[in-house]
Amino acid sequence: MIKPETLDALKHALGPRGWSEDPHELAPHTRDWRGRWQGETPILLKPAASAEVSEIMKICAAANVAVTPQGGNTGLVGGSIPNGEVLISLSRMRTIRETDPANDSITVEAGCILETVQQAAADHDRLFPLSLGSQGSASIGGLISTNAGGVHVLRYGMMRDLVLGIEAVLPDGRIWNGLRGLRKDNSGYDLKQLFIGAEGTLGIVTAATLKLFPRPAETTVAFAGISSPAAAVELLGMAKTASGGALSALELIPRNALDLVLEHIPNTRDPLAEAHPWYALIEIGAGRIGEGRAAMEATLEHALEAGLVADAMIAESDAQAQALWQLREPIAEAEKAHGKAAKHDVSIPVSRIAAFIEEATNASRRLVANAEVIAFGHVGDGNVHFNVAHRDAGAEDDFLEACEPATTAIYDLVQSYGGSIAAEHGVGTLKAGDLAERRPLDVEMMRTVKTALDPKGLMNPRVLIPPR
């Protein structure tokens, strides 16, 4: 229980705009987007600068008060939902500190929304390539803390690959300034990497210097009907070869996911004349006008001749391209409208995706009555969102409980295929126990690092590293 004098000190440090105890304001911060976790906090803190985050941590460290940092609260594994801890929202820290086109970098505060950063880069004829469904609300601090992925990992890498430098507040309140816009810096340990993917367990990311890239002169998007995940993997190889490395994305979509999008997402339509069991959404970004289109046409022509593609269409405008992406990006939203489902964000070696999906689907159907498997994701980087839904709409928590044997079987398969049970969403509280069970030495090593930086265990307890 936090002492009144500690609350008073926090309120004084931040001023009247920097905190709230209003239940209505706290409510959206204490419940996750999926509606799976309901948390609680004695106070919501809203710092406007790194110095204020520092003051918060100094006060909390002195009083032994635990904290939960929160970005846009778009996480999917319970990592930003407080369980009695002081809740720190970075939403007021939205300054773009510097854009440096010559260095291909941009320095932004942690509360900046991803879409805002993308636009700021575009304003300087540059590209910040991270792209995902929640980009209108996800914040940079949260994306760094979860090492977010998205649809362009194939070409540009994970968030970890897009960060040049970080500013972070340590558990004792000290500010570490690692905002270096350098590609080469062999000054010992790469300390910024400790905070990327740490889910707020080692400190609070308050700002970052991010990599920018030249904007493609032409972006070509196509939608193809295919027979299987195996066909998608073969198509991936063809597209890589034809584009000379300019392939930005290749997404796998099953027919049942497309049906949910068409049912629940307004202004969507099936772009092909006939239904197909699976689809591939392909994007090529080229440096010269015409090259992307030519590479896409060559890929699809080869795939049609090989029998990998049954039908396809290439977007003829930006509006058509956006409409095709609108069939992929809101799949999670459409699933949510259908009902609760057991979600598994896993990664598998690309060459083994098809075998994994087949084996995991058979196991899920065997273990869960009325199971409807919805398996989609990023073929280019091996990330499969393997979700087990109910055939009928309206499933609730009892269905999630019924899926627990399937989750164990799916994770067993992931491990046998040399994969990971946490691909791009993070570990949070959802997978902390599973991770400790399956990778005990990994977790023990992480616990050693955490003990060194956060000896009092104040930073996001329960997340990533379960209590002993």
Side-chain angles (χ1 to χ4, degrees), residues 369-383:
N370 299 308
E372 179 75 9
V373 171
I374 303 172
F376 64 98
H378 321 296
V379 175
D381 58 43
N383 183 186

Side-chain angles (χ1 to χ4, degrees), residues 2 32 36 46 51 68 75 110 139 193 199 203 241 266 291 296 327 358 408 428 432 460:
I2 186 168
D32 74 297
R36 183 163 186 172
K46 302 179 289 182
T68 293
S139 69
Q193 296 294 346
E199 303 188 36
T241 300
E291 288 184 353
M296 187 70 78
L327 299 175
E358 180 179 4
T408 300
N460 225 10

Side-chain angles (χ1 to χ4, degrees), residues 229-307:
V233 173
E234 287 194 58
L235 185 59
L236 172 69
M238 289 183 181
K240 283 181 176 180
T241 300
S243 68
L247 180 65
S248 300
L250 199 154
E251 298 291 297
L252 177 68
I253 305 170
R255 180 67 209 190
N256 56 5
L258 180 60
D259 285 338
L260 287 178
V261 170
L262 297 175
E263 178 182 356
H264 296 290
I265 307 300
N267 303 316
T268 56
R269 68 176 187 86
D270 192 334
L272 302 181
E274 297 180 2
H276 301 273
W278 297 85
Y279 299 88
L281 178 62
I282 313 162
E283 180 181 287
I284 296 175
R288 292 184 177 89
I289 298 294
E291 288 184 353
R293 176 83 183 203
M296 187 70 78
E297 289 176 350
T299 297
L300 293 176
E301 181 180 354
H302 190 188
L304 283 163
E305 291 174 354

Side-chain angles (χ1 to χ4, degrees), residues 106-419:
I106 185 170
T107 300
V108 304
E109 292 186 338
C112 283
I113 300 302
L114 173 56
E115 211 165 56
T116 303
V117 176
Q118 293 169 337
Q119 186 57 54
D123 291 343
H124 289 81
D125 197 30
R126 293 293 186 271
L127 171 73
F128 183 63
L130 185 70
S131 179
L132 35 79
S134 61
Q135 61 194 31
S137 51
S139 69
I140 293 300
L143 294 167
I144 290 172
S145 295
T146 56
N147 188 28
V151 299
H152 291 147
V153 171
L154 166 63
R155 183 169 183 178
Y156 297 102
M158 299 280 283
M159 190 66 173
R160 186 182 301 282
D161 303 298
L162 302 175
V163 177
L164 291 172
I166 277 177
E167 175 189 87
V169 174
L170 302 181
D172 61 8
R174 288 178 294 170
I175 299 175
W176 175 64
N177 184 357
L179 290 175
R180 303 178 186 93
L182 302 175
R183 269 82 178 170
K184 291 184 176 180
D185 183 6
N186 281 341
S187 305
Y189 299 145
D190 190 357
L191 295 174
K192 68 177 181 291
Q193 296 294 346
L194 287 175
F195 299 94
I196 303 173
E199 303 188 36
T201 61
L202 300 180
I204 301 175
V205 174
T206 50
T209 300
L210 308 172
K211 291 180 185 177
L212 301 181
F213 296 82
R215 296 179 70 188
E218 175 187 69
T219 300
T220 306
V221 178
F223 196 80
I226 59 177
S227 61
S228 67
V233 173
E234 287 194 58
L235 185 59
L236 172 69
M238 289 183 181
K240 283 181 176 180
T241 300
S243 68
L247 180 65
S248 300
L250 199 154
E251 298 291 297
L252 177 68
I253 305 170
R255 180 67 209 190
N256 56 5
L258 180 60
D259 285 338
L260 287 178
V261 170
L262 297 175
E263 178 182 356
H264 296 290
I265 307 300
N267 303 316
T268 56
R269 68 176 187 86
D270 192 334
L272 302 181
E274 297 180 2
H276 301 273
W278 297 85
Y279 299 88
L281 178 62
I282 313 162
E283 180 181 287
I284 296 175
R288 292 184 177 89
I289 298 294
E291 288 184 353
R293 176 83 183 203
M296 187 70 78
E297 289 176 350
T299 297
L300 293 176
E301 181 180 354
H302 190 188
L304 283 163
E305 291 174 354
L308 296 177
V309 169
D311 190 13
M313 63 88 67
I314 299 176
E316 299 294 343
S317 65
D318 288 344
Q320 283 190 1
Q322 291 172 5
L324 293 180
W325 273 109
Q326 186 63 6
L327 299 175
R328 163 62 182 91
E329 289 180 334
I331 289 177
E333 183 180 344
E335 285 183 310
K336 181 181 178 182
H338 178 74
K340 292 189 176 182
K343 307 290 185 76
H344 309 93
D345 165 49
V346 302
S347 60
I348 304 293
V350 173
S351 59
R352 310 187 76 183
I353 285 177
F356 165 77
I357 289 177
E358 180 179 4
E359 197 169 350
T361 297
N362 291 337
S364 300
R365 289 172 176 168
R366 183 178 68 252
L367 294 168
V368 182
N370 299 308
E372 179 75 9
V373 171
I374 303 172
F376 64 98
H378 321 296
V379 175
D381 58 43
N383 183 186
V384 179
H385 299 292
F386 191 92
N387 301 335
V388 182
H390 197 286
R391 289 176 186 169
D392 301 323
E396 291 293 343
D397 289 341
D398 57 338
F399 180 71
L400 297 182
E401 294 176 6
C403 289
E404 288 177 2
T407 293
T408 300
I410 291 164
Y411 287 168
D412 286 345
L413 284 172
V414 169
Q415 197 162 357
S416 72
Y417 277 91

Side-chain angles (χ1 to χ4, degrees), residues 94-109:
R94 296 191 174 185
T95 299
I96 296 177
R97 296 185 184 177
E98 181 187 27
T99 304
D100 187 348
N103 192 51
D104 282 327
S105 65
I106 185 170
T107 300
V108 304
E109 292 186 338

Side-chain angles (χ1 to χ4, degrees), residues 66-92:
V67 304
T68 293
Q70 187 178 91
N73 198 23
T74 58
L76 302 173
V77 291
S80 63
I81 303 301
N83 186 35
E85 301 89 9
V86 165
L87 182 59
I88 304 173
S89 169
L90 284 297
S91 60
R92 291 178 66 201

